């Protein structure tokens, strides 16, 4: 029967599957690092605290990319090309989730609506990452190298998810009272 345990067992028990899995993960993490770095630089100066949190998120994603690249190397594998169907970050962008890379490359400061769009994107991708890492933690227990890497990433992803959630709640806080014209 197909279960998460048997799927992850096959992924980590097979060089080809492992190479593809780690290549997809490394690419997605590196892309998350690039996006968050860009977003942090475009957050207005009035939101410096938020910019620092997003920059930190980007640095963590870059680190995750390096961790998956190291898992590939340790196994003596080269990164492989990610098939478009499996490139979840590109698929999200194509579906209009988050801000397009062309918008981020333009270098224009983000409006509050733009910031909310980015945080909503991070909230969704963060939840996926957090759940995937928890599943990996459960099913990679007997492979010490992988389990250690996954524990580090999993703790970061839980933190990213909590941060995004908190920032969205903060931005959606009480509506300011309308000025009275009486
Ligand atoms: Fe990550
Ligand atoms: Fe993350």
């Amino acid at each position: 029967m197909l279960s998460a345990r048997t799927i992850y067992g096959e992924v980590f028990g097979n060089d080809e599957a492992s190479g593809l899995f780690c290549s997809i993960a490394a690419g997605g993490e590196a892309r998350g690092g690039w996006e968050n770095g860009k977003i942090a630089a475009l957050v207005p100066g009035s939101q410096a605290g938020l910019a620092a949190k997003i920059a930190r998120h980007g640095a963590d994603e870059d680190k995750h990319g390096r961790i998956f690249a190291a898992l590939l190397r340790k196994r003596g594998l080269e990164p492989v090309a990610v098939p478009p169907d499996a490139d979840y970050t590109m698929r999200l962008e194509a579906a209009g989730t988050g801000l397009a890379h062309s918008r981020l490359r333009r270098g224009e400061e983000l409006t509050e609506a733009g910031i909310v769009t980015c945080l909503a994107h991070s909230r969704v991708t963060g939840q996926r990452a957090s759940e995937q890492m928890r599943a990996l933690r459960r099913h990679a227990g007997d492979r010490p190298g992988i389990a250690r890497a996954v524990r580090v990433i999993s703790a970061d992803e839980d933190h990213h998810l909590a941060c995004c959630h908190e920032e969205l709640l903060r931005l959606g806080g009480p509506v300011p009272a309308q000025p009275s014209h009486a």
Side-chain angles (χ1 to χ4, degrees):
M1 197 190 85
L2 222 54
S3 68
R5 178 168 291 278
T6 53
I7 292 171
Y8 283 120
E10 283 196 22
V11 165
F12 292 115
N14 175 291
D15 273 351
E16 204 180 342
S18 209
L20 179 61
F21 179 84
C22 289
S23 298
I24 293 169
E29 302 278 13
R31 190 178 156 102
W34 182 88
E35 284 171 353
N36 280 295
K38 281 276 173 206
I39 293 164
L42 300 178
V43 168
S46 57
Q47 301 258 21
L50 175 62
K53 285 183 190 170
I54 296 173
R56 168 75 205 276
H57 186 170
D60 283 348
E61 298 305 345
D62 283 335
K63 180 183 78 183
H64 302 167
R66 291 195 298 275
I67 290 174
F68 278 112
L71 287 177
L72 274 174
R73 264 199 316 279
K74 275 188 205 146
R75 206 170 167 141
L77 300 172
E78 291 289 326
V80 299
V82 175
D85 269 2
D87 192 337
Y88 62 92
T89 57
M90 291 298 287
R91 293 183 65 172
L92 280 175
E93 186 180 345
T97 311
L99 288 183
H101 277 201
S102 52
R103 165 73 181 82
L104 295 178
R105 281 204 185 87
R106 276 208 303 277
E108 289 162 17
E109 192 168 88
L110 294 175
T111 60
E112 187 164 310
I115 292 172
V116 170
T117 300
C118 292
L119 286 172
H121 173 262
S122 267
R123 173 71 180 72
V124 172
T125 54
Q127 175 136 6
R128 188 207 62 83
S130 166
E131 286 171 3
Q132 187 191 28
M133 289 301 145
R134 280 165 184 257
L136 274 170
R137 250 168 48 188
R138 278 197 301 279
H139 301 303
D142 51 348
R143 294 176 168 84
I146 296 167
R148 205 168 29 246
V150 164
R151 263 199 310 275
V152 170
I153 299 176
S154 180
D156 286 348
E157 299 300 2
D158 288 349
H159 177 67
H160 299 161
L161 178 59
C163 268
C164 282
H165 194 74
E166 208 175 272
E167 289 299 325
L168 279 168
L169 287 177
R170 184 179 65 83
L171 288 170
V175 180
Q178 293 295 311
S180 161
H181 296 290

